[in-house]
Amino acid sequence: MTLLTILLMAVITFTTRYLFIHPRLPVRLGAKMAKLLSFSAPAVLTAIWVPIIFIQQGQLSISLHNPYLIAATLAIVAAAKSKSIYLTMFVGLITFVLSRYILTL
Amino acid sequence: MALTKKKARWLMAKKGFLDMLPLNLAVLPWGILCGSLAVQRDFSALEAILMPLIVFAGSAQLVAIELIANNASLATILFTTFIISSRHFLYGLALRDKLKVLPTKWRYSLGFLLTDELFALSSHNKSFVGQLRLVYGVVAGGSFYVFWLLWNVAGVIAGSYLPDLTHLGLDFAIAVTFIALVIPTIINLPILVTVIVAALLSVVFKLMQFELDLVAAALIAMYCGYLTERFLYKKKDMNDEGTHKISPSVKDSI
């Protein structure tokens, strides 16, 4: 039963990724639509990471007791200043681990 | 000095691998979490490994494991998977004109590999155009697939020895990766507006427990970015009138 579920899940994830690049699908994108879609990367990726930072156990958490918020703030500064993926990840992860540790003391 | 074709392909493959490497490393905790959680929730090793092998999705895998372990109905599991995966429709649409013209083999491969991470590396306006950029895309996406599988397998093997990892805050690794990817792309006002609207709405919708929270927030944010750009463009046009008449299309190409 679990095997069947996994198989059907695979069909769904592949379909959502593949459907709109299938050539025979009767979809044509005009210039306006293409412009609109050019904003999809910042929009979707942001809608993924921001809730991870601000929502803890279903509750909005805007306080210095939220290690996600502290670490994300420093990571944003690091990303804006350095534009380096590695440095941003390093700064973010170190601050996250440290602030989590300090907050549980 | 002219590059031979083979050398050029090798260089692009290397670039694809190196560009994806930080993301491959960043999903290590998340992959181990998925693999070990499956084992801890009584999945067989085969089932646990089939997840990254054919479903190949982070959050959908994680949520489905919990649902299956709690004996949720098949319809619930599949519907949830669909909702979580629905953001990929946007990726396919955004890349449609570039990918639909490819030979079947490339199209299916890139379709299968089209994750958040590969999409994040595909924003160049010529990505996937020409064989070299295809090699780049397939190596970047393919290496992500291999690493995701590896981390999951590591989680499956270590699974029963590991404590429950779900409350360790491993999702922060995902968040910081996307911060690193998004923040440097904010180069103008329309993108800034997009990011701010997406940030606010995604939190509001999630708190409202709206099922399509992510996609709805993203769509509205995209539209706000689009409107901002149109507004700026019109204002610029009006300012230019009477001073120097350069056609907008010429200015755009500068």
Side-chain angles (χ1 to χ4, degrees), chain A residues 9 13 17-18 20 22 25 27 29 32 35 40 44 68 85-86 100, chain B residues 22 55-56 64 85 91 93 96 107 111 114 119 167 169 171-172 226 229:
Chain A
M9 282 178 65
T13 51
R17 286 173 187 153
Y18 180 77
F20 282 114
H22 191 64
L25 195 78
V27 173
L29 306 176
K32 282 185 180 172
K35 190 74 229 173
S40 55
V44 180
Y68 286 78
I85 268 201
Y86 284 108
R100 246 180 105 91
Chain B
V55 179
F56 184 37
S85 291
Y91 303 168
L93 268 176
R96 173 168 174 79
R107 216 173 53 234
L114 192 53
F119 184 65
H167 298 296
D171 48 352
F172 184 76
Y226 172 77
E229 174 147 318

PDB file of all heavy atoms in Angstrom, chain A residues 9 13 17-18 20 22 25 27 29 32 35 40 44 68 85-86 100, chain B residues 22 55-56 64 85 91 93 96 107 111 114 119 167 169 171-172 226 229:
ATOM      1  N   MET A   9       2.530   9.428  -5.688  1.00  0.00           N
ATOM      2  CA  MET A   9       3.140  10.717  -5.343  1.00  0.00           C
ATOM      3  C   MET A   9       4.173  11.124  -6.392  1.00  0.00           C
ATOM      4  O   MET A   9       4.260  12.297  -6.775  1.00  0.00           O
ATOM      5  CB  MET A   9       3.842  10.627  -3.982  1.00  0.00           C
ATOM      6  CG  MET A   9       2.923  10.693  -2.786  1.00  0.00           C
ATOM      7  SD  MET A   9       3.883  10.513  -1.265  1.00  0.00           S
ATOM      8  CE  MET A   9       4.876  12.005  -1.310  1.00  0.00           C
ATOM      9  N   THR A  13       4.378  14.653  -8.428  1.00  0.00           N
ATOM     10  CA  THR A  13       5.476  15.630  -8.437  1.00  0.00           C
ATOM     11  C   THR A  13       6.053  15.791  -9.847  1.00  0.00           C
ATOM     12  O   THR A  13       6.354  16.899 -10.264  1.00  0.00           O
ATOM     13  CB  THR A  13       6.615  15.262  -7.456  1.00  0.00           C
ATOM     14  OG1 THR A  13       7.019  13.919  -7.689  1.00  0.00           O
ATOM     15  CG2 THR A  13       6.188  15.419  -6.016  1.00  0.00           C
ATOM     16  N   ARG A  17       5.927  19.327 -12.349  1.00  0.00           N
ATOM     17  CA  ARG A  17       7.148  19.925 -12.899  1.00  0.00           C
ATOM     18  C   ARG A  17       7.138  19.924 -14.419  1.00  0.00           C
ATOM     19  O   ARG A  17       7.622  20.861 -15.054  1.00  0.00           O
ATOM     20  CB  ARG A  17       8.383  19.146 -12.426  1.00  0.00           C
ATOM     21  CG  ARG A  17       8.707  19.415 -10.993  1.00  0.00           C
ATOM     22  CD  ARG A  17       9.817  18.518 -10.489  1.00  0.00           C
ATOM     23  NE  ARG A  17       9.971  18.728  -9.043  1.00  0.00           N
ATOM     24  CZ  ARG A  17      10.436  17.818  -8.221  1.00  0.00           C
ATOM     25  NH1 ARG A  17      10.825  16.653  -8.661  1.00  0.00           N
ATOM     26  NH2 ARG A  17      10.539  18.080  -6.941  1.00  0.00           N
ATOM     27  N   TYR A  18       6.603  18.850 -14.992  1.00  0.00           N
ATOM     28  CA  TYR A  18       6.749  18.667 -16.437  1.00  0.00           C
ATOM     29  C   TYR A  18       5.632  19.302 -17.260  1.00  0.00           C
ATOM     30  O   TYR A  18       5.869  19.764 -18.385  1.00  0.00           O
ATOM     31  CB  TYR A  18       6.854  17.164 -16.763  1.00  0.00           C
ATOM     32  CG  TYR A  18       7.003  16.920 -18.244  1.00  0.00           C
ATOM     33  CD1 TYR A  18       8.228  17.141 -18.867  1.00  0.00           C
ATOM     34  CD2 TYR A  18       5.924  16.519 -19.016  1.00  0.00           C
ATOM     35  CE1 TYR A  18       8.373  16.965 -20.221  1.00  0.00           C
ATOM     36  CE2 TYR A  18       6.058  16.340 -20.379  1.00  0.00           C
ATOM     37  CZ  TYR A  18       7.285  16.560 -20.974  1.00  0.00           C
ATOM     38  OH  TYR A  18       7.422  16.402 -22.313  1.00  0.00           O
ATOM     39  N   PHE A  20       3.871  21.985 -17.884  1.00  0.00           N
ATOM     40  CA  PHE A  20       3.912  23.210 -18.689  1.00  0.00           C
ATOM     41  C   PHE A  20       5.123  23.307 -19.605  1.00  0.00           C
ATOM     42  O   PHE A  20       5.256  24.289 -20.338  1.00  0.00           O
ATOM     43  CB  PHE A  20       3.814  24.440 -17.787  1.00  0.00           C
ATOM     44  CG  PHE A  20       2.412  24.694 -17.333  1.00  0.00           C
ATOM     45  CD1 PHE A  20       2.058  24.573 -16.005  1.00  0.00           C
ATOM     46  CD2 PHE A  20       1.429  25.041 -18.256  1.00  0.00           C
ATOM     47  CE1 PHE A  20       0.758  24.807 -15.594  1.00  0.00           C
ATOM     48  CE2 PHE A  20       0.135  25.270 -17.858  1.00  0.00           C
ATOM     49  CZ  PHE A  20      -0.207  25.145 -16.521  1.00  0.00           C
ATOM     50  N   HIS A  22       5.607  20.731 -21.622  1.00  0.00           N
ATOM     51  CA  HIS A  22       5.230  19.796 -22.681  1.00  0.00           C
ATOM     52  C   HIS A  22       4.821  20.587 -23.927  1.00  0.00           C
ATOM     53  O   HIS A  22       3.967  21.455 -23.858  1.00  0.00           O
ATOM     54  CB  HIS A  22       4.074  18.908 -22.218  1.00  0.00           C
ATOM     55  CG  HIS A  22       3.821  17.761 -23.137  1.00  0.00           C
ATOM     56  ND1 HIS A  22       4.743  16.766 -23.342  1.00  0.00           N
ATOM     57  CD2 HIS A  22       2.777  17.481 -23.940  1.00  0.00           C
ATOM     58  CE1 HIS A  22       4.267  15.906 -24.221  1.00  0.00           C
ATOM     59  NE2 HIS A  22       3.068  16.321 -24.607  1.00  0.00           N
ATOM     60  N   LEU A  25       1.062  20.943 -25.214  1.00  0.00           N
ATOM     61  CA  LEU A  25       0.053  21.577 -24.378  1.00  0.00           C
ATOM     62  C   LEU A  25      -0.326  22.918 -25.030  1.00  0.00           C
ATOM     63  O   LEU A  25       0.549  23.709 -25.351  1.00  0.00           O
ATOM     64  CB  LEU A  25       0.639  21.822 -22.988  1.00  0.00           C
ATOM     65  CG  LEU A  25      -0.365  22.132 -21.902  1.00  0.00           C
ATOM     66  CD1 LEU A  25      -1.033  20.842 -21.442  1.00  0.00           C
ATOM     67  CD2 LEU A  25       0.339  22.786 -20.723  1.00  0.00           C
ATOM     68  N   VAL A  27      -0.739  26.011 -24.743  1.00  0.00           N
ATOM     69  CA  VAL A  27      -0.568  27.217 -23.930  1.00  0.00           C
ATOM     70  C   VAL A  27       0.416  28.125 -24.641  1.00  0.00           C
ATOM     71  O   VAL A  27       1.497  27.693 -25.014  1.00  0.00           O
ATOM     72  CB  VAL A  27      -0.014  26.874 -22.533  1.00  0.00           C
ATOM     73  CG1 VAL A  27       0.322  28.139 -21.762  1.00  0.00           C
ATOM     74  CG2 VAL A  27      -1.005  26.031 -21.755  1.00  0.00           C
ATOM     75  N   LEU A  29       2.391  31.843 -24.288  1.00  0.00           N
ATOM     76  CA  LEU A  29       2.660  32.930 -23.359  1.00  0.00           C
ATOM     77  C   LEU A  29       2.960  34.205 -24.136  1.00  0.00           C
ATOM     78  O   LEU A  29       3.877  34.242 -24.940  1.00  0.00           O
ATOM     79  CB  LEU A  29       3.862  32.579 -22.476  1.00  0.00           C
ATOM     80  CG  LEU A  29       3.751  31.252 -21.732  1.00  0.00           C
ATOM     81  CD1 LEU A  29       5.033  30.968 -20.979  1.00  0.00           C
ATOM     82  CD2 LEU A  29       2.573  31.279 -20.781  1.00  0.00           C
ATOM     83  N   LYS A  32       3.426  39.971 -22.010  1.00  0.00           N
ATOM     84  CA  LYS A  32       3.037  40.401 -20.660  1.00  0.00           C
ATOM     85  C   LYS A  32       3.154  39.247 -19.665  1.00  0.00           C
ATOM     86  O   LYS A  32       3.644  39.410 -18.559  1.00  0.00           O
ATOM     87  CB  LYS A  32       1.599  40.919 -20.667  1.00  0.00           C
ATOM     88  CG  LYS A  32       1.483  42.314 -21.217  1.00  0.00           C
ATOM     89  CD  LYS A  32       0.066  42.836 -21.095  1.00  0.00           C
ATOM     90  CE  LYS A  32      -0.015  44.247 -21.659  1.00  0.00           C
ATOM     91  NZ  LYS A  32      -1.394  44.730 -21.739  1.00  0.00           N
ATOM     92  N   LYS A  35       6.710  38.569 -18.860  1.00  0.00           N
ATOM     93  CA  LYS A  35       7.222  39.571 -17.920  1.00  0.00           C
ATOM     94  C   LYS A  35       6.775  39.226 -16.493  1.00  0.00           C
ATOM     95  O   LYS A  35       7.553  39.247 -15.555  1.00  0.00           O
ATOM     96  CB  LYS A  35       6.689  40.948 -18.335  1.00  0.00           C
ATOM     97  CG  LYS A  35       7.303  42.109 -17.624  1.00  0.00           C
ATOM     98  CD  LYS A  35       8.703  42.377 -18.123  1.00  0.00           C
ATOM     99  CE  LYS A  35       9.644  42.526 -16.949  1.00  0.00           C
ATOM    100  NZ  LYS A  35      11.051  42.626 -17.343  1.00  0.00           N
ATOM    101  N   SER A  40       8.803  35.212 -10.934  1.00  0.00           N
ATOM    102  CA  SER A  40       8.411  34.015 -10.182  1.00  0.00           C
ATOM    103  C   SER A  40       9.503  33.524  -9.224  1.00  0.00           C
ATOM    104  O   SER A  40       9.185  33.070  -8.125  1.00  0.00           O
ATOM    105  CB  SER A  40       7.987  32.896 -11.131  1.00  0.00           C
ATOM    106  OG  SER A  40       9.005  32.628 -12.051  1.00  0.00           O
ATOM    107  N   VAL A  44       8.399  33.063  -5.404  1.00  0.00           N
ATOM    108  CA  VAL A  44       8.180  31.731  -4.810  1.00  0.00           C
ATOM    109  C   VAL A  44       9.224  31.430  -3.735  1.00  0.00           C
ATOM    110  O   VAL A  44       8.891  30.975  -2.640  1.00  0.00           O
ATOM    111  CB  VAL A  44       8.207  30.625  -5.890  1.00  0.00           C
ATOM    112  CG1 VAL A  44       7.982  29.267  -5.241  1.00  0.00           C
ATOM    113  CG2 VAL A  44       7.150  30.879  -6.947  1.00  0.00           C
ATOM    114  N   TYR A  68      15.648  31.894  14.804  1.00  0.00           N
ATOM    115  CA  TYR A  68      15.497  31.979  13.349  1.00  0.00           C
ATOM    116  C   TYR A  68      15.595  33.430  12.889  1.00  0.00           C
ATOM    117  O   TYR A  68      16.240  33.743  11.889  1.00  0.00           O
ATOM    118  CB  TYR A  68      14.131  31.421  12.915  1.00  0.00           C
ATOM    119  CG  TYR A  68      13.995  29.927  12.953  1.00  0.00           C
ATOM    120  CD1 TYR A  68      13.778  29.256  14.152  1.00  0.00           C
ATOM    121  CD2 TYR A  68      14.059  29.174  11.784  1.00  0.00           C
ATOM    122  CE1 TYR A  68      13.627  27.878  14.183  1.00  0.00           C
ATOM    123  CE2 TYR A  68      13.911  27.804  11.803  1.00  0.00           C
ATOM    124  CZ  TYR A  68      13.700  27.153  13.004  1.00  0.00           C
ATOM    125  OH  TYR A  68      13.552  25.797  13.028  1.00  0.00           O
ATOM    126  N   ILE A  85      27.135  33.090  -1.606  1.00  0.00           N
ATOM    127  CA  ILE A  85      26.279  32.033  -1.059  1.00  0.00           C
ATOM    128  C   ILE A  85      26.936  31.392   0.167  1.00  0.00           C
ATOM    129  O   ILE A  85      26.318  31.226   1.211  1.00  0.00           O
ATOM    130  CB  ILE A  85      26.022  30.967  -2.143  1.00  0.00           C
ATOM    131  CG1 ILE A  85      24.744  31.303  -2.895  1.00  0.00           C
ATOM    132  CG2 ILE A  85      25.877  29.602  -1.538  1.00  0.00           C
ATOM    133  CD1 ILE A  85      24.134  30.120  -3.594  1.00  0.00           C
ATOM    134  N   TYR A  86      28.235  31.058   0.023  1.00  0.00           N
ATOM    135  CA  TYR A  86      28.908  30.347   1.120  1.00  0.00           C
ATOM    136  C   TYR A  86      28.986  31.204   2.381  1.00  0.00           C
ATOM    137  O   TYR A  86      28.700  30.733   3.475  1.00  0.00           O
ATOM    138  CB  TYR A  86      30.319  29.924   0.691  1.00  0.00           C
ATOM    139  CG  TYR A  86      30.324  28.738  -0.225  1.00  0.00           C
ATOM    140  CD1 TYR A  86      30.633  28.865  -1.569  1.00  0.00           C
ATOM    141  CD2 TYR A  86      30.004  27.462   0.263  1.00  0.00           C
ATOM    142  CE1 TYR A  86      30.633  27.774  -2.417  1.00  0.00           C
ATOM    143  CE2 TYR A  86      30.007  26.367  -0.584  1.00  0.00           C
ATOM    144  CZ  TYR A  86      30.330  26.522  -1.921  1.00  0.00           C
ATOM    145  OH  TYR A  86      30.322  25.444  -2.750  1.00  0.00           O
ATOM    146  N   ARG A 100      20.571  29.773  19.304  1.00  0.00           N
ATOM    147  CA  ARG A 100      19.765  28.690  19.881  1.00  0.00           C
ATOM    148  C   ARG A 100      20.355  28.213  21.192  1.00  0.00           C
ATOM    149  O   ARG A 100      19.659  27.997  22.174  1.00  0.00           O
ATOM    150  CB  ARG A 100      19.738  27.512  18.907  1.00  0.00           C
ATOM    151  CG  ARG A 100      18.389  27.225  18.315  1.00  0.00           C
ATOM    152  CD  ARG A 100      18.505  26.057  17.393  1.00  0.00           C
ATOM    153  NE  ARG A 100      17.925  24.878  18.005  1.00  0.00           N
ATOM    154  CZ  ARG A 100      16.652  24.531  17.859  1.00  0.00           C
ATOM    155  NH1 ARG A 100      15.846  25.245  17.133  1.00  0.00           N
ATOM    156  NH2 ARG A 100      16.187  23.453  18.429  1.00  0.00           N
TER     157      ARG A 100
ATOM    158  N   PRO B  22      26.963  24.465  -3.180  1.00  0.00           N
ATOM    159  CA  PRO B  22      26.491  24.958  -1.876  1.00  0.00           C
ATOM    160  C   PRO B  22      25.076  24.495  -1.553  1.00  0.00           C
ATOM    161  O   PRO B  22      24.768  24.189  -0.395  1.00  0.00           O
ATOM    162  CB  PRO B  22      26.571  26.484  -2.018  1.00  0.00           C
ATOM    163  CG  PRO B  22      26.755  26.758  -3.465  1.00  0.00           C
ATOM    164  CD  PRO B  22      27.400  25.560  -4.059  1.00  0.00           C
ATOM    165  N   VAL B  55      10.077  10.270  -5.982  1.00  0.00           N
ATOM    166  CA  VAL B  55       9.242  11.442  -5.654  1.00  0.00           C
ATOM    167  C   VAL B  55      10.110  12.693  -5.718  1.00  0.00           C
ATOM    168  O   VAL B  55       9.723  13.709  -6.295  1.00  0.00           O
ATOM    169  CB  VAL B  55       8.607  11.303  -4.255  1.00  0.00           C
ATOM    170  CG1 VAL B  55       7.773  12.532  -3.934  1.00  0.00           C
ATOM    171  CG2 VAL B  55       7.734  10.061  -4.190  1.00  0.00           C
ATOM    172  N   PHE B  56      11.316  12.618  -5.130  1.00  0.00           N
ATOM    173  CA  PHE B  56      12.329  13.653  -5.269  1.00  0.00           C
ATOM    174  C   PHE B  56      11.777  15.032  -4.913  1.00  0.00           C
ATOM    175  O   PHE B  56      11.705  15.927  -5.759  1.00  0.00           O
ATOM    176  CB  PHE B  56      12.874  13.627  -6.707  1.00  0.00           C
ATOM    177  CG  PHE B  56      13.996  14.584  -6.985  1.00  0.00           C
ATOM    178  CD1 PHE B  56      14.965  14.855  -6.039  1.00  0.00           C
ATOM    179  CD2 PHE B  56      14.093  15.210  -8.228  1.00  0.00           C
ATOM    180  CE1 PHE B  56      16.000  15.727  -6.307  1.00  0.00           C
ATOM    181  CE2 PHE B  56      15.126  16.084  -8.509  1.00  0.00           C
ATOM    182  CZ  PHE B  56      16.073  16.345  -7.553  1.00  0.00           C
ATOM    183  N   ALA B  64       4.346  13.830   3.647  1.00  0.00           N
ATOM    184  CA  ALA B  64       3.717  12.558   3.293  1.00  0.00           C
ATOM    185  C   ALA B  64       4.119  11.447   4.255  1.00  0.00           C
ATOM    186  O   ALA B  64       3.305  10.588   4.602  1.00  0.00           O
ATOM    187  CB  ALA B  64       4.072  12.179   1.860  1.00  0.00           C
ATOM    188  N   SER B  85       3.321  20.585  -4.216  1.00  0.00           N
ATOM    189  CA  SER B  85       4.087  20.606  -5.464  1.00  0.00           C
ATOM    190  C   SER B  85       3.595  21.654  -6.454  1.00  0.00           C
ATOM    191  O   SER B  85       4.264  21.901  -7.462  1.00  0.00           O
ATOM    192  CB  SER B  85       4.011  19.242  -6.151  1.00  0.00           C
ATOM    193  OG  SER B  85       4.706  18.294  -5.414  1.00  0.00           O
ATOM    194  N   TYR B  91       7.186  27.236 -12.235  1.00  0.00           N
ATOM    195  CA  TYR B  91       8.535  27.064 -12.795  1.00  0.00           C
ATOM    196  C   TYR B  91       8.430  26.588 -14.252  1.00  0.00           C
ATOM    197  O   TYR B  91       9.134  27.070 -15.130  1.00  0.00           O
ATOM    198  CB  TYR B  91       9.354  26.048 -11.993  1.00  0.00           C
ATOM    199  CG  TYR B  91       9.508  26.366 -10.523  1.00  0.00           C
ATOM    200  CD1 TYR B  91      10.005  25.410  -9.642  1.00  0.00           C
ATOM    201  CD2 TYR B  91       9.172  27.609 -10.017  1.00  0.00           C
ATOM    202  CE1 TYR B  91      10.155  25.688  -8.294  1.00  0.00           C
ATOM    203  CE2 TYR B  91       9.316  27.889  -8.665  1.00  0.00           C
ATOM    204  CZ  TYR B  91       9.800  26.916  -7.811  1.00  0.00           C
ATOM    205  OH  TYR B  91       9.948  27.182  -6.481  1.00  0.00           O
ATOM    206  N   LEU B  93       5.938  26.998 -16.306  1.00  0.00           N
ATOM    207  CA  LEU B  93       5.437  28.098 -17.134  1.00  0.00           C
ATOM    208  C   LEU B  93       6.549  29.087 -17.458  1.00  0.00           C
ATOM    209  O   LEU B  93       6.708  29.521 -18.593  1.00  0.00           O
ATOM    210  CB  LEU B  93       4.313  28.825 -16.409  1.00  0.00           C
ATOM    211  CG  LEU B  93       2.891  28.361 -16.682  1.00  0.00           C
ATOM    212  CD1 LEU B  93       1.929  29.139 -15.794  1.00  0.00           C
ATOM    213  CD2 LEU B  93       2.531  28.559 -18.148  1.00  0.00           C
ATOM    214  N   ARG B  96       8.824  27.562 -19.920  1.00  0.00           N
ATOM    215  CA  ARG B  96       8.151  26.857 -21.011  1.00  0.00           C
ATOM    216  C   ARG B  96       8.782  27.121 -22.379  1.00  0.00           C
ATOM    217  O   ARG B  96       9.125  26.193 -23.108  1.00  0.00           O
ATOM    218  CB  ARG B  96       6.666  27.228 -21.049  1.00  0.00           C
ATOM    219  CG  ARG B  96       5.933  26.662 -22.259  1.00  0.00           C
ATOM    220  CD  ARG B  96       4.425  26.783 -22.151  1.00  0.00           C
ATOM    221  NE  ARG B  96       3.767  26.358 -23.369  1.00  0.00           N
ATOM    222  CZ  ARG B  96       3.553  25.087 -23.701  1.00  0.00           C
ATOM    223  NH1 ARG B  96       3.961  24.139 -22.903  1.00  0.00           N
ATOM    224  NH2 ARG B  96       2.952  24.775 -24.835  1.00  0.00           N
ATOM    225  N   ARG B 107      14.127  17.225 -22.432  1.00  0.00           N
ATOM    226  CA  ARG B 107      12.924  17.795 -21.830  1.00  0.00           C
ATOM    227  C   ARG B 107      12.477  16.987 -20.618  1.00  0.00           C
ATOM    228  O   ARG B 107      12.203  17.538 -19.557  1.00  0.00           O
ATOM    229  CB  ARG B 107      11.821  17.849 -22.882  1.00  0.00           C
ATOM    230  CG  ARG B 107      10.923  19.038 -22.775  1.00  0.00           C
ATOM    231  CD  ARG B 107       9.972  19.098 -23.935  1.00  0.00           C
ATOM    232  NE  ARG B 107       9.245  17.865 -24.095  1.00  0.00           N
ATOM    233  CZ  ARG B 107       9.193  17.161 -25.214  1.00  0.00           C
ATOM    234  NH1 ARG B 107       9.833  17.572 -26.293  1.00  0.00           N
ATOM    235  NH2 ARG B 107       8.517  16.047 -25.276  1.00  0.00           N
ATOM    236  N   GLY B 111      12.685  18.276 -16.902  1.00  0.00           N
ATOM    237  CA  GLY B 111      11.390  18.322 -16.225  1.00  0.00           C
ATOM    238  C   GLY B 111      11.452  17.596 -14.894  1.00  0.00           C
ATOM    239  O   GLY B 111      11.010  18.114 -13.872  1.00  0.00           O
ATOM    240  N   LEU B 114      13.498  19.584 -12.261  1.00  0.00           N
ATOM    241  CA  LEU B 114      13.129  20.981 -12.033  1.00  0.00           C
ATOM    242  C   LEU B 114      12.671  21.257 -10.599  1.00  0.00           C
ATOM    243  O   LEU B 114      11.495  21.396 -10.301  1.00  0.00           O
ATOM    244  CB  LEU B 114      12.027  21.400 -13.023  1.00  0.00           C
ATOM    245  CG  LEU B 114      11.706  22.886 -13.136  1.00  0.00           C
ATOM    246  CD1 LEU B 114      12.952  23.688 -13.411  1.00  0.00           C
ATOM    247  CD2 LEU B 114      10.683  23.122 -14.223  1.00  0.00           C
ATOM    248  N   PHE B 119      15.605  25.725 -10.410  1.00  0.00           N
ATOM    249  CA  PHE B 119      14.918  26.912 -10.912  1.00  0.00           C
ATOM    250  C   PHE B 119      15.636  28.181 -10.454  1.00  0.00           C
ATOM    251  O   PHE B 119      15.766  29.154 -11.213  1.00  0.00           O
ATOM    252  CB  PHE B 119      13.459  26.922 -10.449  1.00  0.00           C
ATOM    253  CG  PHE B 119      12.672  28.070 -11.014  1.00  0.00           C
ATOM    254  CD1 PHE B 119      12.439  28.154 -12.373  1.00  0.00           C
ATOM    255  CD2 PHE B 119      12.173  29.059 -10.185  1.00  0.00           C
ATOM    256  CE1 PHE B 119      11.724  29.221 -12.903  1.00  0.00           C
ATOM    257  CE2 PHE B 119      11.453  30.125 -10.707  1.00  0.00           C
ATOM    258  CZ  PHE B 119      11.223  30.203 -12.072  1.00  0.00           C
ATOM    259  N   HIS B 167      12.560  18.420  15.586  1.00  0.00           N
ATOM    260  CA  HIS B 167      12.474  19.676  16.330  1.00  0.00           C
ATOM    261  C   HIS B 167      13.836  20.344  16.519  1.00  0.00           C
ATOM    262  O   HIS B 167      14.014  21.157  17.412  1.00  0.00           O
ATOM    263  CB  HIS B 167      11.807  19.434  17.696  1.00  0.00           C
ATOM    264  CG  HIS B 167      10.411  18.925  17.556  1.00  0.00           C
ATOM    265  ND1 HIS B 167       9.415  19.677  16.989  1.00  0.00           N
ATOM    266  CD2 HIS B 167       9.852  17.731  17.837  1.00  0.00           C
ATOM    267  CE1 HIS B 167       8.297  18.968  16.956  1.00  0.00           C
ATOM    268  NE2 HIS B 167       8.538  17.779  17.451  1.00  0.00           N
ATOM    269  N   GLY B 169      15.306  22.261  14.336  1.00  0.00           N
ATOM    270  CA  GLY B 169      15.453  23.488  13.561  1.00  0.00           C
ATOM    271  C   GLY B 169      16.254  23.296  12.288  1.00  0.00           C
ATOM    272  O   GLY B 169      16.920  24.211  11.811  1.00  0.00           O
ATOM    273  N   ASP B 171      15.167  23.049   9.410  1.00  0.00           N
ATOM    274  CA  ASP B 171      14.615  23.812   8.294  1.00  0.00           C
ATOM    275  C   ASP B 171      15.305  25.162   8.136  1.00  0.00           C
ATOM    276  O   ASP B 171      15.181  25.796   7.093  1.00  0.00           O
ATOM    277  CB  ASP B 171      13.094  23.996   8.446  1.00  0.00           C
ATOM    278  CG  ASP B 171      12.699  24.472   9.832  1.00  0.00           C
ATOM    279  OD1 ASP B 171      13.574  24.524  10.713  1.00  0.00           O
ATOM    280  OD2 ASP B 171      11.517  24.784  10.027  1.00  0.00           O
ATOM    281  N   PHE B 172      16.055  25.598   9.159  1.00  0.00           N
ATOM    282  CA  PHE B 172      16.765  26.862   8.987  1.00  0.00           C
ATOM    283  C   PHE B 172      17.775  26.786   7.845  1.00  0.00           C
ATOM    284  O   PHE B 172      18.013  27.775   7.158  1.00  0.00           O
ATOM    285  CB  PHE B 172      17.472  27.305  10.272  1.00  0.00           C
ATOM    286  CG  PHE B 172      18.123  28.645  10.122  1.00  0.00           C
ATOM    287  CD1 PHE B 172      17.358  29.798  10.135  1.00  0.00           C
ATOM    288  CD2 PHE B 172      19.485  28.759   9.899  1.00  0.00           C
ATOM    289  CE1 PHE B 172      17.937  31.046   9.925  1.00  0.00           C
ATOM    290  CE2 PHE B 172      20.072  30.001   9.699  1.00  0.00           C
ATOM    291  CZ  PHE B 172      19.298  31.137   9.719  1.00  0.00           C
ATOM    292  N   TYR B 226       5.142  43.176 -11.248  1.00  0.00           N
ATOM    293  CA  TYR B 226       4.822  43.493 -12.640  1.00  0.00           C
ATOM    294  C   TYR B 226       4.211  44.888 -12.760  1.00  0.00           C
ATOM    295  O   TYR B 226       4.608  45.691 -13.600  1.00  0.00           O
ATOM    296  CB  TYR B 226       3.858  42.424 -13.168  1.00  0.00           C
ATOM    297  CG  TYR B 226       3.282  42.685 -14.521  1.00  0.00           C
ATOM    298  CD1 TYR B 226       4.031  42.476 -15.670  1.00  0.00           C
ATOM    299  CD2 TYR B 226       1.967  43.135 -14.656  1.00  0.00           C
ATOM    300  CE1 TYR B 226       3.488  42.714 -16.920  1.00  0.00           C
ATOM    301  CE2 TYR B 226       1.413  43.367 -15.893  1.00  0.00           C
ATOM    302  CZ  TYR B 226       2.176  43.157 -17.022  1.00  0.00           C
ATOM    303  OH  TYR B 226       1.638  43.387 -18.258  1.00  0.00           O
ATOM    304  N   GLU B 229       6.759  47.621 -12.216  1.00  0.00           N
ATOM    305  CA  GLU B 229       7.609  47.829 -13.389  1.00  0.00           C
ATOM    306  C   GLU B 229       6.885  48.638 -14.456  1.00  0.00           C
ATOM    307  O   GLU B 229       7.454  49.548 -15.064  1.00  0.00           O
ATOM    308  CB  GLU B 229       8.049  46.467 -13.944  1.00  0.00           C
ATOM    309  CG  GLU B 229       8.812  46.622 -15.233  1.00  0.00           C
ATOM    310  CD  GLU B 229       9.875  45.577 -15.414  1.00  0.00           C
ATOM    311  OE1 GLU B 229      10.582  45.270 -14.434  1.00  0.00           O
ATOM    312  OE2 GLU B 229       9.971  45.057 -16.533  1.00  0.00           O
TER     313      GLU B 229
END
